[in-house]
């Protein structure tokens, strides 16, 4: 009887350990995430930008409560996407300013993760910017800059590229470029020249880094507002010297586990992508669209699933974003 009891206790311990333990990361694994967080605005008026929509008395009735909810939801997604530990790097699109970024990393569930940050100050009419969160224990920041895109249309205003560089565990320098290319608001074809200009700017920057780095390791990530088959993406992946030829980790939905990162009028598209240089392409463990059930909701009209957004039109949903995050893991 005593032997039977001991056997039962051992079995229960074994089962409970298996059920509760998180899947451990592979040794030396390095996770990178990119996420368009959909209008992460504070509730204060910026007199230099058109942020009136996202004010308490604006058309979206953007209250402090809604702002706080958006911060908490964003933090929740970042932690969930990391699974076994928070990502070493997180590229963010559509963050209003430095104050918002500090609220995100210091006053949400992220406060215990040790993130530091940098953010552009571009000339986008609405005042949204690109940002990078980095864990100091995985990425020692050496410097960063905001890169203005030289558009052929000189009146064009858009988000700057964020270029940050730092030391990783191997001792190499990793260059990270966070992008948010011009939108398709005026139609895909009409707006394409602006995205071509942005892609050429990225390509020139990559070529320049390739000449100055002994072992160039580049990550270009963000919301490109184009799919992997569009010309702007091919300008970045097909150009440059062989040792700088970028690989798009999100060119094939069969490998990334989902139909796309953005949903519009019943169709998914892979607008969020991550391009890496050859030395990093050799170290990829996985690349996936992070699409758990809690980030999705029913699109009743089309009998399909779509991202659970902050707003659906002007109706407040209190969700997460109109984009899904993407995550790549490197050895």
């Amino acid at each position: 009887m005593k032997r039977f009891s001991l056997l039962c206790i051992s079995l229960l311990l074994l089962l409970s350990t298996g059920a509760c333990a998180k899947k451990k990361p592979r040794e030396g694994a390095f996770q990178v995430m990119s996420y368009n967080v959909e209008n992460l605005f504070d509730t204060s008026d910026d007199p230099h930008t058109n942020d009136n929509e996202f004010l308490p008395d604006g058309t979206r009735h953007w209250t402090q409560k809604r702002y706080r909810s958006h911060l908490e939801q964003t933090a929740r997604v970042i932690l969930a996407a990391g699974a076994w530990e928070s990502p070493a790097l997180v590229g963010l699109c559509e963050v209003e300013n430095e104050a918002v970024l500090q609220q995100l990393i210091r006053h949400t569930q992220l406060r215990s993760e040790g993130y530091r940050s940098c953010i552009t100050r571009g000339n986008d009419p609405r005042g949204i910017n690109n940002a990078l969160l980095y864990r100091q224990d995985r990425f020692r920041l050496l410097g960063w800059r905001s890169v203005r895109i030289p558009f052929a249309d000189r009146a064009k205003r858009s988000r700057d590229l964020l270029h940050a560089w730092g030391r990783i565990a191997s001792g190499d320098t990793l260059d990270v470029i966070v992008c948010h290319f011009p939108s398709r608001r005026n139609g895909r074809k009409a707006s394409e020249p602006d995205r071509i200009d942005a892609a050429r700017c990225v390509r020139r920057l990559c070529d320049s880094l390739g000449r100055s780095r002994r072992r160039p390791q580049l990550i270009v990530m963000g919301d490109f507002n184009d799919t992997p088959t569009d010309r702007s993406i091919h300008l970045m992946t097909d150009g440059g010297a062989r040792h700088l030829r970028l690989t798009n980790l999100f060119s094939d939905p069969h490998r990334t586990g989902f139909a796309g990162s953005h949903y519009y009028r019943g169709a998914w598209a892979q607008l969020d992508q991550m391009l890496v240089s050859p030395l990093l392409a050799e170290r990829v463990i996985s690349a996936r669209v992070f699409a758990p059930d809690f980030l999705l909701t029913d699109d009743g009209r089309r009998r399909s699933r779509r991202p659970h957004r902050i707003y659906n039109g002007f109706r407040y949903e209190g969700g997460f974003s109109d984009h899904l995050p993407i995550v790549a893991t490197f050895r």
Side-chain angles (χ1 to χ4, degrees):
M1 187 69 179
K2 184 177 179 181
R3 186 178 177 184
F4 178 75
S5 299
L6 287 173
L7 182 62
C8 288
I9 292 170
S10 300
L11 183 59
L12 286 170
L13 285 171
L14 181 63
L15 290 172
S16 63
T17 302
C20 297
K22 280 189 174 183
K23 184 179 179 181
K24 291 184 178 180
R26 299 191 187 190
E27 188 175 352
F30 188 90
Q31 279 194 322
V32 181
M33 175 180 176
S34 180
Y35 189 25
N36 182 325
V37 294
E38 189 192 1
N39 298 319
L40 187 50
F41 283 88
D42 60 23
T43 58
S44 302
D45 183 23
D46 183 341
H48 304 293
T49 64
N50 183 18
D51 65 347
N52 297 336
E53 229 180 312
F54 287 89
L55 296 174
D57 59 354
T59 52
R60 294 189 183 273
H61 306 290
W62 189 240
T63 62
Q64 191 69 18
K65 182 179 179 181
R66 290 181 176 184
Y67 169 49
R68 287 296 314 169
S69 173
H70 196 359
L71 289 170
E72 294 290 349
Q73 298 281 59
T74 301
R76 178 186 172 192
V77 175
I78 292 171
L79 291 173
W84 32 264
E85 68 173 0
S86 56
L89 297 173
V90 183
L92 299 175
C93 301
E94 297 198 11
V95 179
E96 186 180 15
N97 53 44
E98 173 68 24
V100 170
L101 205 54
Q102 291 304 309
Q103 286 282 320
L104 176 64
I105 62 176
R106 294 184 179 181
H107 300 283
T108 67
Q109 299 172 70
L110 294 181
R111 60 184 170 272
S112 61
E113 300 302 311
Y115 279 118
R116 295 293 183 268
S117 64
C118 46
I119 184 170
T120 60
R121 185 60 177 172
N123 64 355
D124 178 87
R126 295 193 301 130
I128 54 175
N129 290 282
N130 294 320
L132 180 71
L133 307 183
Y134 59 93
R135 283 179 42 189
Q136 292 186 104
D137 61 330
R138 308 302 304 278
F139 180 82
R140 184 164 65 84
L141 184 72
L142 299 175
W144 70 275
R145 58 178 172 154
S146 189
V147 180
R148 187 64 46 89
I149 299 168
F151 292 104
D153 177 3
R154 296 193 176 184
K156 177 67 181 175
R157 298 172 60 191
S158 189
R159 285 74 60 177
D160 286 2
L161 306 174
L162 173 61
H163 171 214
W165 57 99
R167 200 81 69 205
I168 54 178
S170 65
D172 293 318
T173 298
L174 173 64
D175 288 277
V176 182
I177 303 170
V178 183
C179 313
H180 187 185
F181 282 11
S183 75
R184 299 182 172 195
R185 186 165 298 174
N186 298 322
R188 186 176 70 87
K189 280 297 180 185
S191 60
E192 186 178 46
D194 294 332
R195 291 188 295 281
I196 295 294
D197 287 342
R200 285 177 174 149
C201 183
V202 170
R203 186 66 262 177
R204 286 193 297 269
L205 178 54
C206 290
D207 291 341
S208 174
L209 291 169
R211 290 189 293 269
S212 62
R213 304 286 191 232
R214 186 175 62 86
R215 285 168 48 85
Q217 300 193 51
L218 314 175
I219 297 177
V220 180
M221 61 181 172
D223 174 4
F224 295 95
N225 275 306
D226 265 338
T227 67
T229 59
D230 284 309
R231 186 183 169 203
S232 66
I233 307 301
H234 283 291
L235 276 171
M236 294 182 287
T237 57
D238 298 345
R242 184 176 297 277
H243 74 294
L244 291 174
R245 200 68 55 84
L246 300 177
T247 297
N248 188 351
L249 303 183
F250 289 83
S251 60
D252 183 358
H254 297 293
R255 295 183 62 188
T256 57
F258 205 73
S261 61
H262 184 261
Y263 180 90
Y264 182 66
R265 293 183 178 177
W268 286 97
Q270 191 65 52
L271 302 185
D272 302 270
Q273 294 152 68
M274 196 177 297
L275 320 177
V276 301
S277 56
L279 286 175
L280 283 175
E282 295 171 359
R283 294 167 46 197
V284 175
I285 297 172
S286 65
R288 61 194 171 96
V289 177
F290 183 58
D293 285 343
F294 76 86
L295 286 184
L296 301 169
T297 190
D298 291 331
D299 184 353
R301 293 176 300 171
R302 295 182 173 86
R303 296 182 181 178
S304 60
R305 302 273 278 166
R306 62 170 177 81
H308 189 189
R309 305 180 53 164
I310 307 299
Y311 284 90
N312 186 16
F314 278 85
R315 181 172 62 85
Y316 180 69
E317 285 194 343
F320 300 87
S321 174
D322 56 345
H323 287 248
L324 295 174
I326 60 173
V327 182
T329 305
F330 302 88
R331 62 175 64 86

